[in-house]
Amino acid sequence: MLTVDFDRLRVGRGTRFIDVGAGAGRHSYEALRRGAHVTAFDLDEVELKGVENMFGAMELEGEVPPGGSGQVKVGNILEMPYEDGSFDVVLASEILEHVPEDVQAISELERILAPGGVLAVTVPRWLPERICWALSDEYHANEGGHIRIYKADELRAKLEATGLQFRHQHHAHALHAPYWWIKCAVGVGRDQHPLVRGYHQLLVWDMMKAPRTTRWAEQALNPLIGKSVALYFQKPF
């Protein structure tokens, strides 16, 4: 389940790609399948161990084009151990809403991006996120949870303040917004509640089968209730 458009990121063979806040690695795997030199970067050493194992499995299964490579790095977005301009593509998906010092984090993302390179940032969209917060404190008020709700124009302004040039914006995962509203309404931890379990099964079916009907429905609903907003920027030469 990808939140960003990899064609818009221009990820291909030899692209120096870093997935900041990689988590379980879903975007890192797609970049590796395209032959990029991938760095999965995250604070969570346990998560990254799983990503590293998957990189190895992909290599064994022949899913990595010649020249592609994958590595993991444990670290903090506020102090990334890379020289200026180290990456052609920088991705920070669903991470800035967790970071108290978001301006410092954005500065680091811009710093490690090469001139002419592309930065993509995704965060929860304001309206679906606001509904989740209204329904449940448990959803966000926990260690490592969401500490802010962005409006897209506010986030765009923070990124443009670094000198980055805005290129595109879209929404994603409209079908996931009702799932989280249900969880927040019945209790975030109640995964076995009939409504939660039933909707989760629908999402799994959708991801596995990718039927045209739900693809069309999501595309139609994304501008209205897309769970995430994705913004794309380019660094001037």
Side-chain angles (χ1 to χ4, degrees), residues 18-26 28 39-49 51 71-77 80-82 91-95 98:
I18 185 168
D19 183 3
V20 180
R26 57 196 174 98
S28 295
T39 300
F41 186 92
D42 202 283
L43 271 174
D44 192 326
E45 187 173 358
V46 175
E47 286 263 56
L48 287 183
K49 184 60 178 177
V51 175
Q71 63 175 338
V72 301
K73 179 67 176 178
V74 179
N76 191 321
I77 189 175
M80 290 189 282
Y82 302 108
L91 173 63
S93 183
E94 312 297 301
I95 181 68
H98 298 273

Side-chain angles (χ1 to χ4, degrees), residues 183-227:
K183 280 180 70 74
C184 288
V186 304
V188 172
R190 298 183 63 189
D191 291 338
Q192 296 307 309
H193 187 282
L195 290 177
V196 175
R197 190 173 67 249
Y199 201 102
H200 183 264
Q201 290 172 348
L202 171 65
L203 292 177
V204 171
W205 171 80
D206 175 56
M207 285 186 285
M208 298 299 294
K209 301 297 184 181
R212 289 184 180 181
T213 51
T214 54
R215 293 279 71 76
W216 289 339
E218 185 156 73
Q219 289 173 9
L221 290 171
N222 272 337
L224 300 173
I225 60 168
K227 183 73 168 65

Side-chain angles (χ1 to χ4, degrees), residues 110-124:
E110 185 276 336
R111 181 187 66 78
I112 65 171
L113 182 64
V118 177
L119 166 67
V121 174
T122 84
V123 296

Side-chain angles (χ1 to χ4, degrees), residues 56-76:
M58 291 172 65
E59 182 75 37
L60 290 174
E61 291 297 319
E63 296 184 38
V64 182
S69 63
Q71 63 175 338
V72 301
K73 179 67 176 178
V74 179
N76 191 321

Side-chain angles (χ1 to χ4, degrees), residues 16-215:
R16 297 173 301 167
F17 176 95
I18 185 168
D19 183 3
V20 180
R26 57 196 174 98
H27 290 108
S28 295
Y29 304 145
E30 177 64 21
L32 187 56
R33 290 188 185 97
R34 292 174 178 244
H37 297 302
V38 179
T39 300
F41 186 92
D42 202 283
L43 271 174
D44 192 326
E45 187 173 358
V46 175
E47 286 263 56
L48 287 183
K49 184 60 178 177
V51 175
E52 185 175 43
N53 291 340
M54 181 60 74
F55 283 163
M58 291 172 65
E59 182 75 37
L60 290 174
E61 291 297 319
E63 296 184 38
V64 182
S69 63
Q71 63 175 338
V72 301
K73 179 67 176 178
V74 179
N76 191 321
I77 189 175
L78 301 178
E79 295 180 311
M80 290 189 282
Y82 302 108
E83 295 182 359
D84 296 357
S86 293
F87 298 94
D88 305 309
V89 175
V90 176
L91 173 63
S93 183
E94 312 297 301
I95 181 68
L96 288 180
E97 68 274 14
H98 298 273
V99 182
E101 306 90 346
D102 64 335
V103 172
Q104 183 180 344
I106 288 169
S107 177
E108 276 290 272
L109 296 173
E110 185 276 336
R111 181 187 66 78
I112 65 171
L113 182 64
V118 177
L119 166 67
V121 174
T122 84
V123 296
R125 188 182 183 183
W126 185 87
L127 178 59
E129 187 76 348
R130 176 58 68 187
I131 293 172
C132 286
W133 282 44
L135 291 171
S136 171
D137 289 337
E138 184 185 5
Y139 170 79
H140 67 93
N142 52 72
E143 184 177 358
H146 299 183
I147 63 170
R148 70 174 62 84
I149 304 176
Y150 285 106
K151 290 185 177 180
D153 57 353
E154 171 199 359
L155 180 57
R156 173 177 169 176
K158 288 185 175 184
L159 285 149
E160 288 181 320
T162 68
L164 293 167
Q165 297 172 343
F166 176 74
R167 288 290 180 258
H168 185 68
Q169 174 180 319
H170 66 77
H171 301 101
H173 309 318
L175 296 182
H176 289 250
Y179 172 72
W180 282 102
W181 296 339
I182 293 170
K183 280 180 70 74
C184 288
V186 304
V188 172
R190 298 183 63 189
D191 291 338
Q192 296 307 309
H193 187 282
L195 290 177
V196 175
R197 190 173 67 249
Y199 201 102
H200 183 264
Q201 290 172 348
L202 171 65
L203 292 177
V204 171
W205 171 80
D206 175 56
M207 285 186 285
M208 298 299 294
K209 301 297 184 181
R212 289 184 180 181
T213 51
T214 54
R215 293 279 71 76

